[in-house]
Amino acid sequence: GAVVSQHPSWVICKSGTSVKIECRSLDFQATTMFWYRQFPKQSLMLMATSNEGSKATYEQGVEKDKFLINHASLTLSTLTVTSAHPEDSSFYICSAHGGGSTNSPLHFGNGTRLTVT
Amino acid sequence: RKEVEQDPGPFNVPEGATVAFNCTYSNSASQSFFWYRQDCRKEPKLLMSVYSSGNEDGRFTAQLNRASQYISLLIRDSKLSDSATYLCVVNEGYNNNDMRFGAGTRLTVKP
C-alpha cells in the first residue's frame, strides 16, 4: 500500500532555531501533500496544503512566514518551523492521497514530535 | 455547526462488548468517507473506507447513511488492542483540500 515517510520522528531544539521536517511519498507521486499539527488530546488541525511546483495554501491563522513549506518534487515536501518557540512544541504530521485520486484515502507520515526548549 | 461531528466519548467498554460510533457530516455533496484509528502519540492509520452499501472487515462494520448524513462504525467482540481514538474523515468534494476530520472518539476497552 501507499507509504508516506516523515523525518525526523522527534526533535528537540532551542528557542529561536529553525527545524526542517521532511515528508516523502515512497511508492507513489504526490502532487499535493498536507501538513497538520496536533496538540495533546486535541484533534488534527490542518495547517497547509503543499502543492508541487507552486505555493502552499495556508489555513486561516497559520503564519506562512513562520511555517515555510517547499514541495520541490513529486515525492518530497518539507515544512520548516522558523524561529521556533516553546508554543510551537507539538506533533506535526503530513499526509497524501495514496491512490493519486482525491477520493482515495489519506496516508499519513509517522509524525514528528517537536519540543522547543 | 462543525462540518464533521463525532461524540468525543470516552467510551469505556469491557472486553467482548459491541460498541458503535456515529459521525455526522454537514455537506450533502460529500464524496467519500473513511474511518481512521489513532493511537496515543502516533499518526492516524486507515481502518477502513466506507462504501455506500456498507462494508465489513472482520469485527469491524462500517455503514453510510446519505439521507441522514452520517456514517457509523461498529466493533464487535472488542479487544484490549482496540483501545484508541477513532477518527471520522469525510471528503467533501473533488479538490485536494476538501478532507474534513472529526475530532475523534476515544475508546477504552477494559479487561
Side-chain angles (χ1 to χ4, degrees), chain A residues 32 34 36 38 43-44 49 91 93 97 102-106 108-110 113, chain B residues 31-32 34 36 38 41-44 46 49 91 94-97 99 101 103:
Chain A
T32 302
F34 305 93
Y36 307 84
Q38 187 175 35
S43 60
L44 286 171
T49 301
F91 190 48
I93 314 174
H97 287 283
T102 55
N103 273 332
S104 58
L106 284 174
F108 291 85
N110 50 298
R113 191 158 302 281
Chain B
Q31 297 295 315
S32 49
F34 310 93
Y36 283 77
Q38 185 175 23
R41 302 171 73 87
K42 298 283 188 180
E43 77 279 15
L46 180 66
S49 301
N91 189 345
Y94 294 105
N95 296 320
N96 278 313
N97 59 347
M99 300 293 277
F101 290 79

Side-chain angles (χ1 to χ4, degrees), chain A residues 2-47:
Chain A
V3 178
V4 176
S5 175
Q6 194 172 333
H7 178 80
S9 296
W10 58 270
V11 58
I12 300 173
C13 70
K14 291 186 177 180
S15 188
T17 60
S18 295
V19 174
K20 179 186 282 188
I21 304 170
E22 294 186 348
C23 180
R24 294 180 186 272
S25 54
L26 296 187
D27 51 359
F28 65 100
Q29 293 182 334
T31 55
T32 302
M33 290 184 177
F34 305 93
W35 287 98
Y36 307 84
R37 181 166 52 183
Q38 187 175 35
F39 293 105
K41 298 187 179 182
Q42 294 187 24
S43 60
L44 286 171
M45 186 192 79
L46 179 65
M47 298 176 67

